[in-house]
Amino acid sequence: MRFLCRENELRKMNRRYEAGKFECIIIYGRRRVGKTALINEFCKNKKTVFFSALRATAQENLKALSMAIYECDHPETENYPVYQDFEAALDEIGRMGRDERLIFVIDEYPYLAKAYEAISSRIQHLIDHRWQESRLYLILSGSSVSFMENQVLGYQSPLYGRRTAQFKIEKLTYKETATFYPNLTNEQNACVYGMTGGIPHYINKLDIRDSLDEAVIDNIFDRSGYLFEEPENLLKQELRDPGVYNSIIRAIAQGASKLNEIATKTGLPSGVCTTYINTLMELGILKKETPITEKPGKKTIYLIDDNFFRFWYRFVPENYSLIVSGRFPSVYERAVKSKMHDYMGLIFEKMCREYLLRYAPDLPFELSDVGQWWGTDPKTRKQVQIDIVGVPVRENEQRITEYLIGSCKFRNEKIGMDELTLLEDYAQVFGKGLRYRFVIFSLGGFTDELLEAAKTEGVQLITLDDLYSL
């Protein structure tokens, strides 16, 4: 499996390794995002004790740690001694790293902390009194973002202040995702991003060889495909009541976005529903969104933030009987491919916002945030939704006097003057005395009339190919 797109983190980790000093590196991020792959790549050709904590008892974890320590110097030996307790095992780690550079990895650290509650205090004591002067390179890694931020990095943690660096591993951007399959067209790579959400594990498991369509059918819409059961397996692995969480995700996939709508569809009381939703947000599956420029309140909605879950729940449940009967390939064109442009609408908006914040070379002003806005036009009393609203960076508390307003169309037809006129009308919802800059993103390009108008009116017109060109 190829290692891609984490070169910056790898470079920083190696620079610290070469310095030869004690390090305590915290690596965390949602499951499947590539933490272990990064650690494995870093540890290549370096002396390492790699301990992957178990969701098991303290004694079983001690046995696994003992094996990892012994295998570091005796990789071919099956029999290994088990240390009397964690203190003895960690003392051995300290001895090994006293004079020689040694990487000690505890992967899935939250599992160990749950099994042996004193582990953080024990490591804190060792760092303060023994390891600080050693050549040990300690890595604590975890998939529970809330645990790692609160119980490892947080002020109340025994380990607070002991880290020397931390890396929150994020999902890949749409451009980074495209590096996995450089032979695909930009539109195909956009769809790959729309299906996988920049999660390296899913991108690799999609396993595109000759045809994107064949890969999707074989790996997502086939009972033997790895990705077919991934959402269910992940929910079972992480949560106690996967059925309830499944119902919530499905309700949102079917169009429910407000709390009362989700609660009604699932039959859960609002308070209980909120608790489940918060857990799914911690896992990176759902997100909460409010119109940009407004504070959280009545307009808050919930969306599926994980593109893979969004794709799976959009297309698999409604085609389940065809999939299990083996008849799905014959209807794939109608059931999925013909609906991809519609599905990609929200994904394209996400890509365009990412482009503006990370990649755009020639914006009219520096942006502090980009999001969408929805609400009621005070003049017409009609509902308005704006795909792109860019807010400039403010110095001190100066009043915002201009916005970037835009739309995103993942359609094959060319976009014309009517779209610019609509944006100009929509922009008025923010009130008088403001200046607006307009940007339009389009898969299918633009009419000659709009291209000419853009030159004189300073409107930015950006195609999908432009998003990938830099």
Side-chain angles (χ1 to χ4, degrees), residues 79-328:
N79 297 319
Y80 59 94
V82 177
Y83 289 91
Q84 181 179 353
D85 49 33
F86 279 98
E87 184 173 355
L90 294 173
D91 282 346
E92 177 63 13
I93 291 289
R95 185 197 65 77
M96 294 169 68
R98 187 162 47 238
D99 301 313
E100 181 183 11
R101 198 56 158 156
L102 174 72
I103 301 170
F104 176 36
V105 179
I106 305 181
D107 199 14
E108 293 302 346
Y109 182 74
Y111 291 167
L112 178 60
K114 184 176 182 180
Y116 178 53
E117 294 182 359
I119 187 63
S120 292
S121 296
R122 169 52 51 189
I123 291 176
Q124 173 250 312
H125 178 81
L126 288 168
I127 290 174
D128 290 349
H129 298 283
R130 300 183 194 176
W131 290 356
Q132 194 70 50
E133 303 304 319
S134 74
R135 302 191 66 199
L136 188 64
Y137 194 110
L138 174 64
I139 297 176
L140 304 180
S141 174
S143 299
S144 173
V145 174
S146 60
F147 180 94
M148 297 299 288
E149 289 181 340
N150 297 321
Q151 304 300 317
V152 177
L153 295 171
Y155 181 74
Q156 301 298 325
S157 169
L159 292 172
Y160 179 77
R162 273 70 183 183
R163 76 188 189 281
T164 55
Q166 73 281 327
F167 298 91
K168 184 176 183 180
I169 309 303
E170 303 283 4
K171 295 176 283 190
L172 301 179
T173 68
Y174 72 90
K175 287 190 72 171
E176 291 170 331
T177 300
T179 62
F180 284 72
Y181 300 108
N183 295 330
L184 297 182
T185 66
N186 289 336
E187 183 174 347
Q188 287 174 322
N189 265 314
C191 290
V192 170
Y193 177 73
M195 296 173 194
T196 65
I199 301 295
H201 187 68
Y202 298 156
I203 302 168
N204 281 314
K205 289 296 183 182
L206 195 54
D207 193 25
I208 303 169
R209 298 178 185 179
D210 299 322
S211 164
L212 173 59
D213 293 330
E214 287 179 9
V216 172
I217 292 170
D218 291 345
N219 296 296
I220 300 179
F221 295 102
D222 188 291
R223 293 183 72 182
S224 65
Y226 175 90
L227 294 173
F228 175 69
E229 293 187 340
E230 169 64 7
E232 184 178 25
N233 289 338
L234 189 60
L235 293 180
K236 286 179 179 177
Q237 186 176 356
E238 295 287 341
L239 306 165
R240 289 184 178 178
D241 302 311
V244 177
Y245 290 100
N246 178 71
S247 297
I248 290 172
I249 299 170
R250 191 164 182 174
I252 296 173
Q254 292 172 348
S257 59
K258 296 179 181 178
L259 178 60
N260 64 327
E261 295 172 344
I262 300 167
T264 299
K265 274 203 167 186
T266 57
L268 295 169
S270 293
V272 175
C273 196
T274 299
T275 301
Y276 282 106
I277 287 173
N278 288 338
T279 300
L280 288 169
M281 287 196 296
E282 288 179 4
L283 291 174
I285 295 172
L286 300 184
K287 69 175 179 178
K288 180 165 61 175
E289 197 160 297
T290 302
I292 194 166
T293 74
E294 297 190 20
K295 295 180 180 179
K298 293 181 179 180
K299 289 185 179 181
T300 296
I301 60 173
Y302 297 94
L303 302 170
I304 299 177
D305 192 36
D306 184 303
N307 288 1
F308 176 73
F309 271 71
R310 185 170 180 268
F311 181 81
W312 195 94
Y313 278 88
R314 169 64 180 81
F315 292 109
V316 171
E318 70 177 31
N319 293 293
Y320 189 81
S321 61
L322 291 168
I323 296 169
V324 297
S325 67
R327 293 177 292 147
F328 185 78

Side-chain angles (χ1 to χ4, degrees), residues 39-53:
I39 295 169
N40 284 335
E41 185 70 19
F42 167 68
C43 291
K44 278 183 179 179
N45 304 315
K46 301 181 180 79
K47 187 171 182 179
T48 303
V49 173
F50 193 106
F51 166 47
S52 185

Side-chain angles (χ1 to χ4, degrees), residues 51 53-54 56-66 86 111-112 115:
F51 166 47
L54 308 173
T57 64
Q59 186 60 33
E60 288 175 288
N61 273 284
L62 179 60
K63 288 177 63 178
L65 175 57
S66 300
F86 279 98
Y111 291 167
L112 178 60

